[in-house]
Amino acid sequence: MTLPMFPAEAPVLPEIRPARRIKGTVSAVLAALGGDFPTEEVQSLTMDFDGVVGDYHAGPTRKSGSREPWYPRGTEIRNERQISVVAPDELAIAAAGMGIDRIEPAWIGANLLIDGIPLLSMLPPRTQLFFEGGVTLRIDGDNGPCRIAGASIAKNFPDRDETSLALSFVKAAKRRRGVVAWVEKPGVIANGETVTVHIWEQWIYPAG
């Protein structure tokens, strides 16, 4: 048997950050039950493996769009965007950048508003959200802001130019639009629940 060859010197590892846990609080639960992506506040969210039951974004698969230029538009792919999670502090910063007084989570199709997690939009992929009631969500990644969500915001400010305000959301909400997640363990999420965020050990893959 031929043994594999290894380099004489082990590669230098990048900085490795240990795993950690942070606790936050669910301050609103919302669902898109009207056939379009904007949501409205509800008493609780019933989750199955497809996402929020009855929600616009529920399903095991979805159609690819502009976010997936490596596929022809409309290709059926795994739905890793079942749940949209946002933070009030980040929405406030984005609103200030747009010159408006607020961005309501419902306007941009959020399902969960979570308070107390610093830099929520930068939580890394694979992070798990353990909810007090038993639901577990797993983060796929950040939710890039788009003009469609910006247009939904702009409709609530008729005194402003709709096109320019919609476009300003893309820049103002960059890395502040929250994250998208999928259901790892189903159940029911209620407003006011504690959520424990488990961030796995992190490192940056060395280039070259």
Side-chain angles (χ1 to χ4, degrees):
M1 181 177 67
T2 302
L3 297 176
M5 299 296 292
F6 294 97
E9 296 183 6
V12 177
L13 293 176
E15 180 183 5
I16 296 176
R17 296 291 184 92
R20 59 183 298 204
R21 293 193 173 214
I22 307 171
K23 288 190 180 294
T25 304
V26 178
S27 50
V29 291
L30 310 96
L33 305 176
D36 199 357
F37 81 91
T39 51
E40 59 182 22
E41 289 199 41
V42 293
Q43 292 297 314
S44 61
L45 294 177
T46 300
M47 304 273 189
D48 61 18
F49 287 114
D50 287 349
V52 177
V53 175
D55 188 83
Y56 179 76
H57 286 109
T61 62
R62 65 181 179 87
K63 302 296 185 181
S64 66
S66 60
R67 300 176 191 273
E68 298 84 27
W70 45 89
Y71 297 126
R73 187 180 289 265
T75 300
E76 187 174 20
I77 60 174
R78 171 64 60 189
N79 184 12
E80 84 296 3
R81 302 176 62 83
Q82 294 175 341
I83 313 295
S84 170
V85 187
V86 297
D89 57 333
E90 294 183 329
L91 293 184
I93 294 171
M98 296 173 69
I100 54 179
D101 64 345
R102 73 195 191 283
I103 297 174
E104 295 290 343
W107 297 344
I108 57 173
N111 297 113
L112 290 165
L113 183 67
I114 295 182
D115 220 336
I117 306 299
L119 301 173
L120 181 140
S121 294
M122 294 190 181
L123 290 173
R126 198 186 178 207
T127 295
Q128 289 166 296
L129 307 180
F130 293 97
F131 292 84
E132 183 181 356
V135 171
T136 305
L137 303 181
R138 192 178 285 263
I139 290 174
D140 178 77
D142 69 302
N143 192 4
C146 66
R147 181 178 176 178
I148 295 174
S152 180
I153 295 169
K155 290 177 182 177
N156 295 277
F157 297 91
D159 58 320
R160 297 283 300 273
D161 179 75
E162 184 173 343
T163 300
S164 61
L165 188 59
L167 289 174
S168 71
F169 175 67
V170 177
K171 180 179 179 180
K174 186 176 182 179
R175 302 189 183 95
R176 300 189 184 100
R177 172 70 169 85
V179 294
V180 290
W182 49 272
V183 178
E184 181 171 277
K185 181 176 177 289
V188 178
I189 298 176
N191 192 17
E193 281 192 26
T194 297
V195 55
T196 301
V197 178
H198 175 70
I199 304 169
W200 291 79
E201 183 180 85
Q202 298 176 73
W203 61 91
I204 303 299
Y205 184 81

